Amino acid sequence: MKAIVCVTLKPDVLDPQGRAIQRACATLGYEAVADVRQGKLFEIELATRDREAAERLVRELAAKLLANPVIEDWRIERIED
Amino acid sequence: MKAIVCVTLKPDVLDPQGRAIQRACATLGYEAVADVRQGKLFEIELATRDREAAERLVRELAAKLLANPVIEDWRIERIED
Amino acid sequence: MKAIVCVTLKPDVLDPQGRAIQRACATLGYEAVADVRQGKLFEIELATRDREAAERLVRELAAKLLANPVIEDWRIERIED
Amino acid sequence: MKAIVCVTLKPDVLDPQGRAIQRACATLGYEAVADVRQGKLFEIELATRDREAAERLVRELAAKLLANPVIEDWRIERIED
């Protein structure tokens, strides 16, 4: 199975690089781009066919190894076979 | 609208930091983690209600500003209202 | 001129990806690696020959565009001609 | 001892996020910023007092765990006691 985990800065944490991309969009004429936030993505291959076990494992990994709970949020974007 | 864009290293491009996370998983007893690849995530707020226009815009941004086409793939993970 | 700016998480901010690399080091037999912290590096080309002006400019950029002052520290690692 | 390792994209590899920061600089009136490249920084604490051994170790780590040799260059920026 494969899990996609997204790790993003908490909404109240400033993201200067995302802001720079938003500014660059404006200079290129993409005025509709109101905000850009940059995060991290993890694609995790799991050697299991048990969807529940996979989800439990990924939750543990995300909390322990992938995200800093003080400044970041995480979510499982999807799990696929 | 909000678009989620994922930028990942092409499958044949080595990802040392992802590999380090996979190794760390193994030492922590998460033997089922066969592979980890780290990518970038962009959350883009768009001041439009036209879904087709939003998608067109995000495709342009991704190709021009977010990904390096030689070493990276990108995809629109989702667009939501 | 060229300036090298380092942006690092503040010492009290957890760095899960750096920790994963440290763990991976241990499993590979590099026991002497006590800690790893991952940061960002910016190499900035400046169209000026005035070293003082360059440094002033880079300080402004770092504070405004490169680092998040709440969670990150920054320093000019070096400026060279 | 503490080693600072810089990992940068090879000069011929496009860096879209660095480019976005350069564009953002221009819009903010920092016209002297000719180019920005974003890289990775690793601060490595080593439990050794042997400088030569530390350097040897860090070279191995950088080549095996920190950089992708196909698209990235690395250098030891400094080693300090």
Side-chain angles (χ1 to χ4, degrees):
Chain A
M1 304 189 93
K2 186 177 177 179
I4 309 288
V5 176
C6 296
V7 176
T8 54
L9 285 171
K10 282 182 190 293
D12 59 328
V13 177
L14 190 74
D15 172 14
Q17 273 89 53
R19 190 89 180 89
I21 293 170
Q22 188 273 329
R23 281 184 208 275
C25 288
T27 66
L28 292 171
Y30 302 118
E31 308 289 352
V33 178
D35 193 25
V36 178
R37 308 262 304 165
Q38 190 171 336
K40 292 173 196 161
L41 177 84
F42 297 94
E43 299 188 335
I44 304 168
E45 290 285 348
L46 297 160
T48 177
R49 290 186 180 176
D50 179 340
R51 200 185 179 82
E52 269 186 43
E55 195 174 323
R56 224 169 22 237
L57 173 55
V58 171
R59 285 186 182 284
E60 273 192 56
L61 285 185
K64 279 196 200 168
L65 273 176
L66 304 182
N68 177 339
V70 178
I71 55 171
E72 293 171 328
D73 291 324
W74 62 268
R75 66 177 183 269
I76 301 178
E77 180 73 28
R78 58 189 158 91
I79 296 185
E80 59 193 28
D81 294 318
Chain B
M1 305 189 91
K2 186 176 177 180
I4 310 287
V5 176
C6 296
V7 176
T8 54
L9 285 171
K10 283 181 188 292
D12 59 329
V13 176
L14 191 73
D15 173 13
Q17 273 89 52
R19 190 90 182 88
I21 293 170
Q22 187 274 328
R23 281 184 208 275
C25 288
T27 67
L28 293 170
Y30 301 118
E31 308 288 351
V33 178
D35 194 25
V36 177
R37 308 261 305 164
Q38 191 170 337
K40 292 172 196 162
L41 178 83
F42 297 94
E43 298 188 334
I44 304 167
E45 291 285 347
L46 296 159
T48 177
R49 289 185 182 181
D50 178 339
R51 199 184 180 82
E52 267 186 45
E55 195 173 324
R56 223 166 27 233
L57 172 54
V58 172
R59 286 186 182 285
E60 272 192 57
L61 285 185
K64 278 197 201 168
L65 272 176
L66 304 182
N68 176 339
V70 178
I71 55 170
E72 292 170 330
D73 291 325
W74 62 268
R75 65 176 184 271
I76 300 177
E77 180 73 28
R78 57 191 159 89
I79 297 185
E80 60 193 27
D81 292 318
Chain C
M1 305 189 92
K2 187 177 177 178
I4 309 287
V5 176
C6 296
V7 176
T8 54
L9 285 171
K10 283 182 188 291
D12 59 330
V13 176
L14 190 74
D15 173 14
Q17 273 89 53
R19 190 89 182 90
I21 293 170
Q22 188 273 329
R23 280 184 209 274
C25 288
T27 66
L28 293 171
Y30 301 118
E31 308 289 351
V33 177
D35 194 25
V36 177
R37 307 265 302 166
Q38 190 171 337
K40 291 173 196 162
L41 177 85
F42 297 94
E43 298 189 334
I44 303 167
E45 291 285 347
L46 297 160
T48 176
R49 289 189 181 175
D50 178 340
R51 199 185 181 81
E52 266 186 44
E55 196 174 323
R56 223 167 26 234
L57 172 55
V58 171
R59 286 186 183 283
E60 274 191 57
L61 285 186
K64 279 197 202 168
L65 273 177
L66 304 182
N68 177 338
V70 178
I71 54 170
E72 292 171 329
D73 291 324
W74 62 268
R75 65 176 185 270
I76 301 178
E77 180 73 28
R78 57 190 159 88
I79 296 185
E80 60 193 26
D81 293 319
Chain D
M1 306 188 91
K2 187 176 177 179
I4 309 288
V5 176
C6 296
V7 176
T8 53
L9 285 172
K10 284 182 187 292
D12 58 329
V13 176
L14 190 74
D15 172 14
Q17 273 88 54
R19 190 90 181 89
I21 294 169
Q22 187 273 330
R23 282 184 207 274
C25 289
T27 66
L28 293 171
Y30 302 119
E31 309 288 351
V33 177
D35 193 26
V36 177
R37 308 262 304 164
Q38 191 170 337
K40 293 173 194 162
L41 178 84
F42 298 93
E43 298 189 334
I44 304 168
E45 290 286 347
L46 296 159
T48 177
R49 290 185 181 178
D50 178 339
R51 200 184 180 82
E52 268 186 43
E55 195 174 323
R56 225 169 21 234
L57 173 54
V58 172
R59 286 186 183 284
E60 273 191 57
L61 285 186
K64 280 196 200 169
L65 273 176
L66 305 182
N68 176 341
V70 177
I71 55 171
E72 292 171 329
D73 292 324
W74 62 269
R75 65 177 184 271
I76 300 177
E77 181 73 27
R78 57 189 158 90
I79 296 184
E80 60 193 27
D81 294 319

